[in-house]
Amino acid sequence: MGATARLTVTLVVSGALVGTTALAHAAPDSGSAGGPVNAVAPPQQPTSGPGGSDYAYTDMRVSSGGEGDNAWFAFEPVGGPPLASAPLAVITHGFGEYSGYEKLHGLIRHTVRKGSVVIYPRWQASPRTPCPKGPGDIEPCVQSAVEGIRGGLSFLQSDSARVQPQLDRTSYFGLSFGGILTSNFLNRHEALELPRPRAVFLDDPHDGGFAGKGEPALDDTLAGIPADTLFQCHIGDEGIVALEGNQDSSCNALFPKLGHIPPANKNIVLTYTDKHGTPPLLSAHGVSNGSPNPDTRGSIDAYDYFFIWKVWDALRSAADSGADREYALGDTPEHRYMGTWSDGTPVTPLKIQDHAPIRP
């Protein structure tokens, strides 16, 4: 892993960077309390457990480096007990975020404050690079993501004063096109010399459909992903599968390629839009786009707390020690639960299967 050509380091205190807008999250209301007086309010973040606010660290130190489409961000916990090393999480964005990390800022910050280091390969420097033809020429994007991961790792490992990534405790998260890239580079992780995946969470993976339906940009087989990987793949009921002719796209196309992973270690899950209260909880393409930046349209909501963050935390804990498995795998009450509205009405629970296809 060579030295990067450019490097900047900043300390983020409140978690706000200029970035792009969210996909599925509702826009913040302009009202003083997020909606009308006496409106039914959505669930708040739990105080403990997977997805909870019992953080060990107050914030994160942000570093960036690399050139062009091979750039990266690295995030380390600050404001808590000293850390020599920590579990590694690799979080990969979808198509179109090339100026920052705002779309996945909430997930990144949550993960770091829970005590992990995060590498975020910023594999795209402009709207049409490095693979403007999408699935017709996906390999430059795969390679850029890999170079970003390598660059972030090299930066952390070359400085003993940094929190060192525990490579044997590596998990991966991919949003949309980033889910396709993640699947492909993990399928080849040994040849690419990437850390072995322990847990993988994909949020509505999609290649854009430029070369046809059914995610043709995926590798023909995903047998290179280790069979003991804990794996979750999410679809929104108003996301990719809601588009005409795409009912067998996204996770429905990807999941059949994971036949070597035992059913007990994988799930395909579906979220539903729930408009019981204000603001509504939307389940369009990608629900992981919550940001703590009040100037972005993608606010953090119950689909972060009780789904993305909860399952992500629990999937990683289960991979490490077996703890919290019931919150991340299997058709269990803990996994299905999505919180309750302020009037006591449960948010529409997850639909959970160990096989594809899944239908709204």
Side-chain angles (χ1 to χ4, degrees):
M1 299 182 185
T4 58
R6 175 180 57 84
L7 175 66
T8 60
V9 180
T10 61
L11 177 64
V12 174
V13 177
S14 61
L17 284 183
V18 174
T20 50
T21 58
L23 300 177
H25 285 258
D29 227 325
S30 58
S32 60
V37 176
N38 298 325
V40 176
Q44 300 301 301
Q45 185 176 15
T47 57
S48 62
S53 61
D54 51 341
Y55 295 110
Y57 296 86
T58 61
D59 224 304
M60 61 189 187
R61 177 165 60 167
V62 186
S63 306
S64 63
E67 283 286 349
D69 299 319
N70 298 338
W72 51 265
F73 288 94
F75 307 85
E76 303 164 77
V78 296
L83 270 179
S85 66
L88 171 65
V90 176
I91 297 178
T92 303
H93 65 84
F95 205 94
E97 179 158 15
Y98 47 85
S99 61
Y101 53 88
E102 198 63 32
K103 278 187 178 179
L104 288 164
H105 191 169
L107 176 64
I108 292 167
R109 192 163 186 263
H110 171 81
T111 304
V112 175
R113 293 184 65 201
K114 285 287 187 177
S116 292
V117 293
V118 170
I119 290 175
Y120 180 90
R122 205 226 57 201
W123 53 268
Q124 191 173 28
S126 73
R128 298 195 59 80
T129 62
C131 49
K133 297 180 182 179
D137 189 22
I138 192 175
E139 289 308 311
C141 282
V142 173
Q143 190 58 40
S144 286
V146 169
E147 291 301 323
I149 296 168
R150 289 172 175 167
L153 281 174
S154 178
F155 167 75
L156 293 173
Q157 292 173 328
S158 65
D159 184 352
S160 61
R162 298 283 172 179
V163 180
Q164 294 301 298
Q166 297 172 0
L167 302 187
D168 60 344
R169 301 174 69 189
T170 301
S171 52
Y172 293 83
F173 186 97
L175 167 64
S176 189
F177 196 77
I180 302 294
L181 297 179
T182 297
S183 299
N184 286 0
F185 64 62
L186 289 183
N187 185 46
R188 316 171 209 167
H189 74 279
E190 288 187 337
L192 295 171
E193 299 183 340
L194 294 176
R196 190 177 193 271
R198 299 293 305 280
V200 177
F201 193 163
L202 305 182
D203 185 6
D204 217 1
H206 183 49
D207 65 16
F210 299 109
K213 314 294 186 184
E215 317 306 341
L218 284 170
D219 284 354
D220 291 338
T221 173
L222 296 178
I225 298 174
D228 60 354
T229 303
L230 303 187
F231 204 108
Q232 182 136 158
C233 196
H234 163 254
I235 288 175
D237 73 321
E238 296 184 339
I240 296 305
V241 298
L243 302 176
E244 184 177 357
N246 279 277
Q247 65 271 18
D248 291 318
S249 294
S250 189
C251 299
N252 282 334
L254 186 149
F255 215 71
K257 297 176 182 283
L258 303 176
H260 61 294
I261 298 179
N265 287 348
K266 63 185 179 184
N267 281 132
I268 182 172
V269 301
L270 185 80
T271 53
Y272 295 90
T273 287
D274 190 328
K275 298 182 179 180
H276 178 73
T278 303
L281 296 170
L282 304 182
S283 178
H285 174 48
V287 297
S288 56
N289 287 272
S291 169
N293 185 347
D295 296 326
T296 62
R297 294 195 313 170
S299 59
I300 293 171
D301 65 20
Y303 282 176
D304 295 291
Y305 305 141
F306 287 98
F307 174 48
I308 295 292
W309 298 2
K310 179 188 78 175
V311 170
W312 176 236
D313 289 353
L315 200 67
R316 301 175 75 223
S317 294
D320 276 349
S321 66
D324 297 326
R325 186 182 178 96
E326 67 274 19
Y327 292 92
L329 290 167
D331 191 8
T332 66
E334 295 87 352
H335 193 182
R336 291 192 300 270
Y337 180 66
M338 298 287 283
T340 58
W341 295 92
S342 61
D343 66 353
T345 301
V347 174
T348 305
L350 287 179
K351 183 176 183 179
I352 301 170
Q353 296 179 186
D354 59 15
H355 60 280
I358 196 168
R359 305 293 187 208

